[in-house]
Amino acid sequence: MSESGAGTGAASHGRAAAVLAAARPAAPWRLGAGFLLPFALVVAVFFLIPAVLTVILSLTDVSVATGLRDFRWVGLENYRRILTDPVAGLVLRNTLLYVGATLTLFNVGLALVLALATAFLPQRWGGFFRAVWLLPRITPSVVYVLMWKYFAAEPPYGVINQVLAALGLPAGGNWLYEHPWPMVIAINGFVGASMGMIIFSAAIQAIPREQLIAAQVDGAGTWALVRRVVLPQLRWPALFVAAYQTLSLLASYEYILLATDGGPGFYTTEVWALYAFHTALSNYFGNAQYGLGAALATVLVVIGLVASVLYLRFFNFRQLTQRPRIEVS
């Protein structure tokens, strides 16, 4: 064979190898990394970088008085101020009450009740009631809180007092001033319940009907069906709803800001996120303390991380993620 023929054969072989290499599927990790890269960039830009900047800012005394030129690095001084601040203890108790009551009574409790109630209705009626319960979530926050203020107003304007009077019960004054915590919890709870209701409803509908029918054939009543068949299969949705809604309640303050602004009085319904907002951006003294507000926000992030770890342990996350012992085809 001539040298030119050998060279042509080698070139053809090289081109064929290149074509095969190009047609060969990419490694699985590369494919996964390609899909995750856009989302990783979004998380980094809008979550990780702001979190790092918040921690850095919490180590300074930046405020309106110092500006961006005269501030000093104070280390952990802002955290020491939080530990010695008597208001911080009251705000922390308010936050635990707010998150615990709203989560238990509405975001998980009422959401689960609504999901169970609508799951056993005809699909048409169940979808209608779920759509109605979504109205508080899709209503603008300002309009939603103004409606509640109208409901809670003093006689003869407040709807709540009008209903009580029609039932022959004694009517009170303005419910937002006389009973602020039940009103704040209800205002936030009716919004949060809608999300849990949708997630629990989808999980219930995903349960194979054969399991429900088999339980009924074995003589299980409605309560036994719910307790023995439905609820054990809602651990994953319950973990997600509890963890997500806890973090959401810890970080949200707009409804409290619009309804009571932390009042009535001083810090009656002030929660940690609202306290950080008032400290950093809107306080009575006019000197917005960005460094101290960032320290308050950092503490809130730590509280959220601790709560997430506790949820993972409570719901036994490792057991939930184990491979099933029996493969069902």
Side-chain angles (χ1 to χ4, degrees), residues 47-60 78-79 290-299 301:
F47 292 94
L48 293 181
I49 294 177
V52 172
L53 292 177
T54 300
V55 174
I56 295 174
L57 188 62
S58 71
L59 304 177
T60 70
N78 288 323
Y79 297 97
Y290 306 126
L292 181 58
L296 290 167
T298 303
V299 172
V301 171

Side-chain angles (χ1 to χ4, degrees), residues 98-99 101-112 114-115 133-139 144 148 184-200 240-242 244-246 248-249 252 254-255:
Y98 164 67
V99 174
T102 308
L103 185 73
T104 305
L105 298 177
F106 288 92
N107 292 14
V108 175
L110 181 60
L112 183 58
L114 292 173
W133 274 97
L134 282 174
L135 289 177
R137 180 168 289 276
I138 64 178
T139 303
Y144 176 69
W148 273 97
V184 165
I185 292 170
I187 290 172
N188 286 271
F190 280 105
V191 173
S194 59
M195 176 185 171
M197 174 195 65
I198 295 298
I199 294 175
F200 287 137
F240 173 76
V241 171
Y244 180 86
Q245 294 285 33
T246 297
S248 176
L249 289 170
S252 66
E254 67 272 18
Y255 293 116

Side-chain angles (χ1 to χ4, degrees), residues 100-215:
T102 308
L103 185 73
T104 305
L105 298 177
F106 288 92
N107 292 14
V108 175
L110 181 60
L112 183 58
V113 171
L114 292 173
L116 290 171
T118 56
F120 293 98
L121 290 176
Q123 185 174 2
R124 188 175 182 181
W125 287 105
F128 171 75
F129 284 114
R130 284 191 289 270
V132 170
W133 274 97
L134 282 174
L135 289 177
R137 180 168 289 276
I138 64 178
T139 303
S141 301
V142 175
V143 176
Y144 176 69
V145 173
L146 284 176
M147 292 172 58
W148 273 97
K149 285 188 173 183
Y150 181 74
F151 293 155
E154 60 276 352
Y157 307 105
V159 175
I160 297 177
N161 287 318
Q162 290 179 8
V163 172
L164 292 176
L167 295 175
L169 300 174
N174 191 307
W175 282 66
L176 273 173
Y177 298 146
E178 295 187 358
H179 309 283
W181 270 119
M183 296 302 298
V184 165
I185 292 170
I187 290 172
N188 286 271
F190 280 105
V191 173
S194 59
M195 176 185 171
M197 174 195 65
I198 295 298
I199 294 175
F200 287 137
S201 297
I204 293 172
Q205 292 177 3
I207 298 175
R209 289 186 56 84
E210 291 79 6
Q211 295 184 13
L212 304 177
I213 295 173

Side-chain angles (χ1 to χ4, degrees), residues 59-113:
L59 304 177
T60 70
D61 65 348
V62 177
S63 66
V64 171
T66 64
L68 296 178
R69 294 184 178 180
D70 300 326
F71 73 90
R72 295 178 299 111
W73 293 94
V74 296
L76 300 178
E77 176 63 22
N78 288 323
Y79 297 97
R80 188 194 65 79
R81 291 177 59 185
I82 294 173
L83 290 175
T84 57
D85 183 7
V87 176
L90 173 62
V91 172
L92 180 60
R93 289 194 297 270
N94 289 345
T95 304
L96 295 177
L97 170 64
Y98 164 67
V99 174
T102 308
L103 185 73
T104 305
L105 298 177
F106 288 92
N107 292 14
V108 175
L110 181 60
L112 183 58
V113 171

